[in-house]
Amino acid sequence: SMINTTDLPAFPRDHANDGHNGMTLRDYFAAKAMQALIPIHRAEPDFDMMKSAYRYADEMLKARES
């Protein structure tokens, strides 16, 4: 069966079955993309920008598989 790479933990641990796996790799990639996307003096949230961060994250996950 194929592993759902969007659910992999960003920081895997030996005791990952304790229910505290932390953020997913997809969330980690999106957070990193947001660092580059948000202008330094941005006052209001930009939901289109947030969606873009997850699109970047999804593409980064695809790139890992190729």
Side-chain angles (χ1 to χ4, degrees), residues 8-16 20-25 28 32:
L8 292 174
F11 305 102
R13 305 176 306 164
D14 289 340
H15 49 92
H20 302 285
N21 296 330
M23 69 170 42
T24 65
L25 188 55
Y28 179 74
K32 289 296 190 177

Side-chain angles (χ1 to χ4, degrees), residues 2-63:
M2 196 165 143
I3 295 173
N4 183 353
T5 59
T6 63
D7 291 336
L8 292 174
F11 305 102
R13 305 176 306 164
D14 289 340
H15 49 92
N17 292 327
D18 64 3
H20 302 285
N21 296 330
M23 69 170 42
T24 65
L25 188 55
R26 182 176 185 249
D27 289 334
Y28 179 74
F29 283 165
K32 289 296 190 177
M34 284 299 294
Q35 288 178 322
L37 291 171
I38 297 175
I40 195 163
H41 297 292
R42 182 85 188 172
E44 296 295 323
D46 182 332
F47 295 104
D48 288 332
M49 190 183 305
M50 292 174 199
K51 289 178 186 176
S52 292
Y54 275 98
R55 286 195 297 270
Y56 276 105
D58 290 340
E59 291 302 318
M60 285 187 266
L61 288 167
K62 287 179 191 175

